[in-house]
Amino acid sequence: MIIGLGSVGNYLLDYLMSTGDENIEIIVVGRSYEKLEMDVNIVKISSLIRRQNKTKITIDASVDLNDVSTIKNVISKYQPDIIVNSSRAYSGLKYGSISWSNFRAYGVWTPLSIKYTKNIMEAYEQADSKAIVINTSYSDAVIPWLKTAGKAYPDFGSGNVNHLIPRIKLALAMEYKISDWWNIDITYAVAHFHDVVISKEGQTEGVEQLIYAEYDGKELSVTDKIYAACKIAMPVDQKRNMMNASSNFEIIQGVLNAVRNSKKTRLHCPGFDGNIGGYPVIIDGTGESPVVYIDESKFSFAEMQKKNRESIYLDGIENVADGTLFYTDELLAKIKAKFDVELQKTVKFSQIDSVANFIIERIINKALNK
């Protein structure tokens, strides 16, 4: 089930159809049947041209993400095995287009990122669902916020560190003259901030990275030169969401391979098991039943946790604990200086909706001159 068929959802739908898998059904849900139908039809026709359209798609336009009961109803009705939340509280806007140029920290948007996710997870509990849930928006902080509040939380987060690792592989391939760059293996623990700063500026903000790279059994050195080479020309519009959709696709394929083929897949996941930041994660289907866990073969969990907290602090998040989000003083000062807005230091779980609306009215609308 794909909740919200925006750009991430549309790309993901196309990728899933491209597998030609006859043994899955995709449910797309939202509010506007007309929009959903148009988006589904273009994917169905395009995939049939490629002779890949073998998957059934069902449309359900009865969902209002502000109304938990409507989400519960579709989850109960279809009983999906996997749910992907690709919804956004402020659709059509790349939040980073405002935050990076103004205060170089994405964490301010966390109440917006969690706004619909918390409703989906509440509906998930009410429906007594056992589905695997994948979250697409700022899982580094969103999933920990849900977990520390004692709520149900997504199993996986997508995107973020996954956007940076392929850049590092390509940079290493160029430096070491490796033609099969896909066989370079990366183990990396880092939060959202460094995905952005390395991708945009080719530098680490002076923070030593917790990363291990190897090829053909030999370690490759990830130097400042490699990080500098990660700054490559990329779209700044919604085409960037091809990466997030690809990350979701990788998780889904990892789960299916574990269940169907008893295979083991290693990937990277922000917010896994309610932990702040991004971690290497293994989906292991080689035993009696599939298990998922953080890979500590290169670094200890304590090392990874510490490094992630260093990274996310630079994103404006001081902590997530006891169901409360704590902004950094530095972020609050930057927002005050740029937008003349006094944003509260802490956001309790019960304040998510009101603070999300405040951010829209006082920061986003002001930035967009609305």
Side-chain angles (χ1 to χ4, degrees), residues 277-290:
Y279 298 82
V281 170
I282 291 175
I283 304 173
D284 189 353
T286 60
E288 290 185 9
S289 59

Side-chain angles (χ1 to χ4, degrees), residues 29-277:
V29 303
R31 282 194 298 180
S32 169
Y33 187 89
E34 182 180 9
K35 179 187 182 303
L36 292 173
E37 184 181 38
M38 286 191 295
D39 288 343
V40 166
N41 282 343
I42 190 67
V43 170
K44 288 170 70 174
I45 296 302
S46 298
S47 60
L48 192 52
I49 293 171
R50 301 191 301 266
R51 302 177 186 273
Q52 296 170 327
N53 183 346
K54 299 178 182 179
T55 301
K56 179 182 177 182
I57 304 176
T58 299
I59 299 172
D60 193 307
S62 64
V63 170
D64 178 352
L65 291 174
N66 290 301
D67 185 345
V68 172
S69 66
T70 66
I71 310 169
K72 171 186 174 291
N73 289 341
V74 295
I75 294 175
S76 296
K77 179 179 179 180
Y78 297 104
Q79 298 184 22
D81 297 303
I82 299 174
I83 298 172
V84 179
N85 168 31
S86 66
S87 63
R88 294 177 70 82
Y90 198 109
S91 61
L93 173 68
K94 293 293 292 182
Y95 300 144
S97 65
I98 295 174
S99 54
W100 193 252
S101 60
N102 286 295
F103 35 83
R104 297 180 84 249
Y106 193 93
V108 64
W109 312 120
T110 312
L112 286 170
S113 296
I114 199 174
K115 179 178 169 66
Y116 287 153
T117 308
K118 70 176 178 60
N119 291 351
I120 291 167
M121 297 315 300
E122 182 179 346
Y124 174 93
E125 282 195 297
Q126 291 181 9
D128 195 27
S129 177
K130 299 297 186 292
I132 293 167
V133 182
I134 306 171
N135 184 61
T136 64
S137 184
Y138 205 53
S139 296
D140 301 67
V142 164
I143 298 179
W145 199 352
L146 285 160
K147 184 176 183 179
T148 65
K151 308 295 183 180
Y153 55 92
D155 301 274
F156 297 95
S158 63
N160 299 0
V161 62
N162 296 287
H163 301 171
L164 178 57
I165 288 173
R167 296 171 185 250
I168 294 173
K169 287 186 177 183
L170 292 175
L172 286 168
M174 185 177 297
E175 176 69 13
Y176 288 93
K177 296 179 174 54
I178 297 171
S179 58
D180 55 336
W181 52 83
W182 51 90
N183 285 321
I184 297 173
D185 189 61
I186 304 284
T187 303
Y188 198 9
V190 74
H192 176 272
F193 177 82
H194 279 94
D195 158 42
V196 179
V197 76
I198 294 172
S199 298
K200 283 184 175 292
E201 299 179 2
Q203 55 94 15
T204 66
E205 206 79 353
V207 177
E208 184 178 352
Q209 298 297 286
L210 196 63
I211 187 169
Y212 184 88
E214 62 181 323
Y215 172 76
D216 197 22
K218 298 178 182 178
E219 183 177 0
L220 305 177
S221 181
V222 184
T223 63
D224 287 344
K225 182 180 179 181
I226 297 299
Y227 293 124
C230 291
K231 181 184 176 183
I232 57 177
M234 292 281 278
V236 296
D237 59 12
Q238 292 187 5
K239 288 193 291 292
R240 290 179 59 83
N241 284 330
M242 293 174 69
M243 296 185 292
N244 196 310
S246 296
S247 177
N248 283 278
F249 180 83
E250 179 188 34
I251 295 167
I252 292 168
Q253 292 303 302
V255 170
L256 293 178
N257 272 325
V259 173
R260 293 174 170 177
N261 306 315
S262 300
K263 290 188 175 181
K264 180 188 290 189
T265 301
R266 195 170 71 92
L267 43 77
H268 286 76
C269 177
F272 179 75
D273 197 29
N275 293 297
I276 291 173

Side-chain angles (χ1 to χ4, degrees), residues 17 21-22 24-27 53-58:
M17 291 295 287
D21 193 333
E22 301 175 53
I24 62 173
E25 178 183 358
I26 303 170
I27 316 296
N53 183 346
K54 299 178 182 179
T55 301
K56 179 182 177 182
I57 304 176
T58 299

Side-chain angles (χ1 to χ4, degrees), residues 300-325:
S300 70
F301 176 70
E303 287 178 295
M304 292 187 278
Q305 190 176 46
K306 180 177 182 293
K307 189 58 63 175
N308 272 299
R309 287 183 174 272
E310 289 178 23
S311 179
I312 206 166
Y313 188 93
L314 296 173
D315 228 8
I317 303 296
E318 182 178 294
N319 200 9
V320 182
D322 301 321
T324 301
L325 176 77

